[in-house]
Structure formats: structure tokens, C-alpha cells
Amino acid sequence: MSGTKCTRLNGALVKQVLDSVDSVLFDCDGVIWRGDQSIPGAPQVINLLKEHGKKVFFVTNNSSKTRKMYADKMTSLGFGVREEEVFGTAYCCAMYLKTVCKLEGKVYLLGSNAMEQELEAVGIQQTGVGPDHVFGKQNDWASVPLDPEVKAVVVGFDEHFSYMKLNRAMQYLIQRDCLFVGTNRDTRLPLEGGKAVPGTGCLLQAVETAAQRQAQTVGKPNHFMFDCVASQFGVNPDRCLMVGDRLDTDILLGSNCGLKTLLTLTGVSTVAEAEAHWESGCSERKGMVPDYYVESIADLLPALQG
Ligand SMILES: [Mg+2]
């Protein structure tokens, strides 16, 4: 590899990079924890960064938890984190509908209890979550009852996703003035032991295909999540570091927003994939090449303890 991209971050360079930033954004899964277990050393890294006066935030595409649920999980794992420092797509999606779309009307929600709660916290009504049982026969499906107050279809992670929901979403989206918003496009959720399950991106693509429309997404790599953090906490992109385990979401978000980027190898992506993006010479793929990489964020510890 040529150039100065994707440099191993160790030795004196760690302190140099940390001194050059005031804020650090962390992805969660594969970065500070895996499933229900924290990455060894991660709580200390977060707590020491704060002791050193850094602003620390968490940006996750997972829409299945509210900010409070994340803060509670983090606290139980030893991270000193406040609810206000967590930006999940359930919360950011609600903020997007309220502040950017200025939605007046209800949401038809394909999502979770967490999304329901975050929408209601900003005063947006929605149609409810849970199973949608088969209604009538095929000839009836195009005239399934719709709520005339619905002005947006929102797609997040929905364990009750079904043909009936897909149909209902399509019938709403045939109305051209109906907004169409997705939390994120991650197609797979990685699990322990190399296993995986389908992610929200699969559900969103099904709805997009049926509706013959493209959704606006709020999650990484879209800059809206960073805008949310920056507008609430006055973050300067030039002095901000994005830390993540995925090149196509975390690192690309950092590049899209002009942040410094750090790939950690405790999750999904590899250095070989980053090198392939670099060597492709394709400008779009270069946004997925991090400035630095570490084996684990615990590699930051010596510089913080010194
Ligand atoms: Mg991750």
C-alpha cells in the first residue's frame, strides 16, 4: 500500500492522534462490545478519554434500543456513559422526522418498541408494532384499510416483518406525498462464532422494491447521525475521531463528514479489505479506507495511562 492511509496506530503516534482531537465517536457492536460482553479494556478507554477532557459519543445503526436502554447496558458493563451521549438510529430517526422532515401526521412503523418509544418521546404518533395478521384474500390486499393520518413510512429492524406489512407499506407509499425513511442499510447482523442474521437493510430493500421508491436513511454512512451529535454538542469535525469496525458504515461516515478515522479489528472488517479499497483507485471506495487501524481499542490504553 502507498500513501499515508490505513497506518497502524501504535507507539508515540497514539498520543499524537489523541492530542489532535477533542471528540471521539465510537460505534458500539464490534468496537466497545461484542453482543453482551465488553471488549477487554474498552470501559477503561472510554472512562480515561473522558478524564482527559475528551467528549465521547456513541453512534450505532442498531434501531432495537432507545438511548436509555443503551445507557443502561453501558453502565452495567462499566462504561461511564450518559443517555445524551448515545445516538442510535431509533432516536436519530425520530429526530430526522421531527427536525428535517417537520412531519405533521402519523408514521406507519415497521420497527421495534424502542422506535415506538423514541417517536413518541418527540411527539410523533405511529400505528403500533407487532404482528400484522393475514387479512382477507389476495384480491382484498390492495384495498387493505389504511390510516388517513399516516404521512410517513418508517422502516427499522422489525422481527415481525411480514408480507402483510410489506403490502401495507407499499399501499401507503403509492401516495406520492407519503415520506419514506429507513434507519439503516446494514444487510447482515454479525453474531458470535462467525454467525449472522439478516439486518434491516434486507427489510428496507424489500419495501423499496415493492414501492418502486428509494428511502432516505438516517444511519451511518449518512452524515445525519454526525449532524445530530454536532448540533447538540458543538463538535468540530477537524478535531473529531470516528472509531468503528465496519468500513462501509463507520469509516465511510467519518470520511463523509471530514473526520479522522480509526478501524478496530475486533469486529467485521479487515485491513486486507481496506487495502483493496485503497488499491482500487476508485474515489468512492477510498472513503472506506481508514486513516489508522488498531487490533483493539485497548491499544489506546498505554497513551491514556501514561
Ligand atoms: Mg459495529
Side-chain angles (χ1 to χ4, degrees):
M1 185 164 12
S2 59
T4 55
K5 276 283 192 175
C6 206
T7 305
R8 172 87 187 246
L9 188 60
N10 59 10
L13 190 56
V14 182
K15 189 170 182 306
Q16 203 180 310
V17 169
L18 291 179
D19 284 347
S20 73
V21 300
D22 304 319
S23 308
V24 188
L25 267 58
F26 287 92
D27 171 49
C28 295
D29 205 29
V31 176
I32 63 165
W33 64 51
R34 263 190 302 236
D36 288 324
Q37 293 222 292
S38 59
I39 299 282
Q44 290 153 281
V45 170
I46 302 303
N47 299 344
L48 283 166
L49 281 169
K50 289 186 160 195
E51 279 178 34
H52 282 73
K54 307 294 182 193
K55 293 182 199 169
V56 178
F57 305 101
F58 302 88
V59 285
T60 171
N61 274 1
N62 189 320
S63 63
S64 65
K65 288 186 176 67
T66 61
R67 305 179 103 181
K68 171 138 189 2
M69 291 155 126
Y70 275 114
D72 289 348
K73 175 174 177 177
M74 287 175 185
T75 303
S76 76
L77 292 174
F79 296 95
V81 171
R82 289 179 299 128
E83 202 176 319
E84 295 74 28
E85 294 161 338
V86 184
F87 293 79
T89 47
Y91 168 75
C92 288
C93 193
M95 288 302 286
Y96 183 80
L97 291 165
K98 188 174 173 71
T99 63
V100 178
C101 305
K102 303 193 185 336
L103 175 69
E104 289 187 22
K106 273 191 197 170
V107 163
Y108 175 62
L109 179 61
L110 293 170
S112 58
N113 288 321
M115 293 185 69
E116 186 173 21
Q117 286 171 35
E118 295 287 21
L119 285 171
E120 292 194 342
V122 301
I124 295 176
Q125 284 190 297
Q126 42 72 47
T127 52
V129 295
D132 187 352
H133 298 292
V134 178
F135 163 87
K137 296 273 190 298
Q138 196 170 32
N139 282 344
D140 307 321
W141 294 343
S143 46
V144 69
L146 301 180
D147 183 334
E149 288 177 47
V150 165
K151 298 290 179 234
V153 168
V154 172
V155 182
F157 186 75
D158 186 344
E159 63 190 18
H160 298 289
F161 187 82
S162 64
Y163 185 82
M164 284 296 118
K165 289 191 171 189
L166 177 60
N167 174 54
R168 214 178 282 271
M170 176 183 144
Q171 304 305 332
Y172 281 118
L173 288 166
I174 286 173
Q175 306 166 7
R176 299 310 297 186
D177 61 342
C178 184
L179 296 169
F180 187 14
V181 177
T183 54
N184 64 293
R185 295 190 181 277
D186 298 43
T187 51
R188 281 190 181 188
L189 293 180
L191 303 175
E192 279 299 303
K195 294 181 179 175
V197 290
T200 303
C202 303
L203 312 185
L204 185 57
Q205 277 191 41
V207 179
E208 287 180 323
T209 305
Q212 299 177 356
R213 285 177 60 179
Q214 286 280 304
Q216 179 63 48
T217 53
V218 300
K220 298 171 286 185
N222 188 299
H223 60 81
F224 181 73
M225 286 192 100
F226 177 72
D227 297 346
C228 248
V229 181
S231 66
Q232 291 179 25
F233 290 90
V235 174
N236 174 1
D238 291 336
R239 293 192 54 85
C240 181
L241 175 68
M242 173 72 213
V243 186
D245 70 309
R246 287 185 75 126
L247 301 173
D248 60 345
T249 53
D250 304 322
I251 301 306
L252 189 55
L253 171 81
S255 304
N256 285 344
C257 299
L259 318 180
K260 296 175 176 66
T261 53
L262 172 62
L263 173 71
T264 177
L265 302 178
T266 47
V268 171
S269 299
T270 64
V271 171
E273 286 162 0
E275 286 173 347
H277 288 312
W278 178 256
E279 281 157 10
S280 74
C282 164
S283 61
E284 276 176 32
R285 289 178 66 183
K286 286 205 168 164
M288 291 191 269
V289 184
D291 296 317
Y292 309 101
Y293 75 92
V294 285
E295 292 291 328
S296 154
I297 62 166
D299 293 1
L300 306 178
L301 270 180
L304 291 166
Q305 289 166 329

